[in-house]
């Protein structure tokens, strides 16, 4: 079923492709990017959930309770029935699908000049994962729909740093199956991940601009700027670690210039997580005369909205409808206007649940994997020293774990810590440091 079949433009002529993790079937986005004599043309197709979910039905009501998909090591709790999210609405290759099609024209510096979204029929030609895209890029053999992606991505990353964006490259922990059990591994991140991320971020920024320009009904993803005290603390840490940080250089550009594999970079990026707090959903209609800070996502450096993952996140269905209406010059549907506040409340609630679920899965796996190794010494990088209210934090590379550590190990050092606690019942692990057992760096 497609509620807008009669008014949808046919763009199956565009050779779209998708980039997702290897096991993903809920394919929200398909892209085609082309280098032009004056810049770039980006076509970005987003699964059109507004075409298949009827407002007021049991399916819509259940989605508005669930809010988003919860990802677990042994399966997912999906926002929508998988027959929809992994089947009839997913942008799988070789089949026609209804989509919200974004068209963004950019100049030679990848600065957007114009942007719009309309309902279209699209067909993805092929699906790739990040490793495949990276390998093709390294071999100078990217398919035509992605040939301009590396240049676009690098230019957009540079533009985001100019806007004050902050991107962290701390190791991401992932729980993966191993035989009859589980293990923790670091999720590899390639340059292709970063390039593809810039497509989604740019689209979200264009969506936010549309909602801000039209005023009234809108839902933005916002984050307040970090307090001056947090920046000052980071500068003190950088100085103690011998990291050069010119006074005029924004924190995001300083972090982007670090070698992520060094202890100093791990320490500073760990501390920088304290700068990225307070993310939330802001209803523009509730702001009479908003300041730039009230509309901006500080980690992105611009106003931003979620619109690119409607199969996995309920808010995107609402924000997409708002942008479609504004671009078409018609009224925002009443179900969107009437339900937007409840949708924002659901996203706030389920964001908190998703974070807890992710952390609980990792914590349980860590404790289970390490339980037989209590009393063992591990080499670790001290990310944060103890400060009286909390113990130190260390990063152990094998298995890859971020954990608390008693005993006041010195920040920024690579040294030996001993596993003191690994309790699957409480999902807790902890290390301890004893300077009398050896010099920093010694592992017994």
């Amino acid at each position: 079923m497609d509620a807008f079949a009669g008014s949808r433009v046919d763009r199956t002529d565009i050779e779209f492709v998708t980039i997702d993790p290897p096991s993903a079937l809920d394919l929200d986005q398909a892209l085609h990017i082309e280098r032009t004599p004056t810049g770039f043309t980006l076509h970005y197709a987003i699964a059109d959930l507004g075409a298949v979910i009827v407002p007021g039905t049991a399916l819509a009501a259940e989605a508005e309770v669930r809010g988003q998909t919860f990802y677990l090591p042994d399966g997912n709790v999906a926002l929508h029935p998988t027959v929809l999210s992994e089947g009839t609405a997913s942008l799988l290759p070789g089949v026609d699908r209804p989509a919200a099609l974004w068209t963004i024209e950019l100049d030679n510096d990848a600065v957007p000049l114009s942007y719009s979204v309309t309902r279209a029929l699209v067909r993805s030609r092929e699906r790739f994962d990040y490793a495949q895209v990276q390998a093709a890029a390294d071999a100078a053999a990217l398919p035509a729909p992605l040939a301009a992606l590396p240049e676009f991505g690098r230019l957009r990353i540079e533009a985001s740093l100019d806007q004050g964006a902050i991107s962290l490259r701390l190791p991401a922990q992932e729980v993966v199956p191993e035989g009859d059990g589980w293990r923790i591994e670091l999720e590899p991140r390639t340059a292709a991940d970063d390039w593809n991320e810039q497509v989604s971020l740019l689209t979200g920024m264009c969506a936010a601009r549309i909602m801000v320009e039209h005023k009234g009904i809108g839902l933005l993803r916002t984050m307040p700027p970090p307090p001056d005290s947090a920046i000052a603390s980071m500068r003190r840490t950088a100085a103690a670690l011998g990291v050069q940080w010119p006074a005029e250089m924004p924190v995001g550009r300083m972090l982007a210039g670090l070698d992520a594999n060094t202890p100093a970079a791990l320490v500073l990026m760990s501390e920088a997580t304290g700068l990225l707090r307070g993310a939330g959903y802001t209803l523009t209609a509730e702001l009479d005369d908003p300041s730039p800070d009230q509309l901006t996502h500080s980690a992105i450096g611009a106003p931003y909205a979620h619109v690119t993952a409607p199969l996995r996140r309920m808010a995107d269905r609402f924000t997409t409808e708002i942008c479609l209406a504004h671009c078409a010059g018609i009224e925002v549907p009443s179900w969107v206007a009437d339900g937007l506040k409840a949708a924002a409340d659901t996203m706030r609630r389920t964001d908190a649940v998703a974070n807890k679920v992710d952390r609980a899965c990792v914590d349980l796996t860590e404790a289970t994997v390490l339980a037989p190794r209590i009393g063992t010494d591990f080499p670790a990088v001290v990310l944060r020293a103890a400060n009286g209210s909390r113990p130190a934090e260390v990063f152990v590379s094998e298995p890859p774990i971020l954990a608390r550590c008693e005993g006041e190990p010195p920040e920024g050092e690579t040294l030996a810590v001993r596993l003191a606690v690994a309790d699957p019942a409480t999902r807790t692990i902890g290390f301890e440091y004893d300077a009398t057992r050896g010099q920093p760096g010694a592992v017994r």
Side-chain angles (χ1 to χ4, degrees), residues 299-314:
I300 295 171
Y304 174 73
H306 281 323
V307 290
T308 62
L311 294 175
R312 293 170 272 175
R313 198 168 48 212
M314 182 195 66

Side-chain angles (χ1 to χ4, degrees), residues 175-218:
V175 178
V176 296
E178 183 176 57
D180 295 331
W182 305 91
R183 62 184 171 85
I184 298 286
E185 69 176 29
L186 295 186
E187 183 178 354
R189 187 172 180 89
T190 66
D193 291 72
D194 297 330
W195 304 332
N196 189 59
E197 180 183 60
Q198 290 302 315
V199 177
S200 182
L201 290 174
L202 174 64
T203 306
M205 286 187 272
C206 291
R209 289 185 188 181
I210 289 171
M211 287 187 275
V212 170
E213 288 164 1
H214 284 83
K215 301 183 179 180
I217 299 171

Side-chain angles (χ1 to χ4, degrees), residues 46-250:
I46 308 300
D48 188 357
L49 269 292
V52 295
I53 295 182
V54 179
T57 61
L59 178 59
E62 182 63 21
E64 288 159 22
V65 171
R66 296 191 178 201
Q68 58 188 285
T69 296
F70 298 97
Y71 293 93
L72 302 167
D74 56 350
N76 304 329
V77 180
L79 171 61
H80 304 107
T82 54
V83 67
L84 180 70
S85 62
E86 298 182 359
T88 56
S90 179
L91 302 184
L92 298 166
V95 290
D96 293 349
R97 288 288 187 260
L101 177 57
W102 287 87
T103 301
I104 304 175
E105 300 288 347
L106 305 103
D107 66 15
N108 281 315
D109 295 319
V111 174
L113 302 174
S114 65
Y115 40 87
S116 63
V117 61
T118 190
R119 284 195 151 96
L121 189 70
V122 303
R123 175 181 284 240
S124 172
R125 300 306 201 270
E126 193 170 356
R127 62 172 296 176
F128 297 98
D129 62 38
Y130 298 103
Q132 290 172 325
V133 174
Q134 187 64 55
D138 292 342
L142 281 168
L146 299 176
L149 182 62
E151 182 186 7
F152 165 89
R154 288 189 287 266
L155 288 169
R156 287 304 310 164
I157 290 169
E158 186 65 22
S160 71
L161 292 174
D162 286 342
Q163 293 173 173
I166 301 173
S167 178
L168 304 184
R169 289 168 291 149
L170 276 171
Q173 296 165 296
E174 185 178 9
V175 178
V176 296
E178 183 176 57
D180 295 331
W182 305 91
R183 62 184 171 85
I184 298 286
E185 69 176 29
L186 295 186
E187 183 178 354
R189 187 172 180 89
T190 66
D193 291 72
D194 297 330
W195 304 332
N196 189 59
E197 180 183 60
Q198 290 302 315
V199 177
S200 182
L201 290 174
L202 174 64
T203 306
M205 286 187 272
C206 291
R209 289 185 188 181
I210 289 171
M211 287 187 275
V212 170
E213 288 164 1
H214 284 83
K215 301 183 179 180
I217 299 171
L219 180 63
L220 305 183
R221 181 67 165 164
T222 56
M223 180 184 288
D228 291 341
S229 59
I231 299 292
S233 175
M234 277 201 67
R235 285 195 172 276
R236 289 191 295 270
T237 301
L241 295 171
V243 173
Q244 298 299 312
W245 184 0
E248 69 279 3
M249 181 181 288

Side-chain angles (χ1 to χ4, degrees), residues 257-334:
L258 298 176
D259 180 350
N261 297 313
T262 64
L266 286 171
V267 170
L268 286 169
M269 289 183 189
S270 177
E271 184 165 347
T273 59
L275 307 180
L276 307 181
R277 291 179 177 168
Y281 290 89
T282 297
L283 293 160
T284 57
E286 295 181 349
L287 304 174
D288 293 330
D289 185 20
S291 67
D293 284 352
Q294 289 177 294
L295 299 174
T296 296
H297 192 297
S298 64
I300 295 171
Y304 174 73
H306 281 323
V307 290
T308 62
L311 294 175
R312 293 170 272 175
R313 198 168 48 212
M314 182 195 66
D316 301 47
R317 176 161 57 94
F318 284 75
T319 49
T320 295
E321 291 296 332
I322 295 170
C323 292
L324 284 164
H326 287 324
C327 288
I330 61 176
E331 290 292 320
V332 174
S334 59

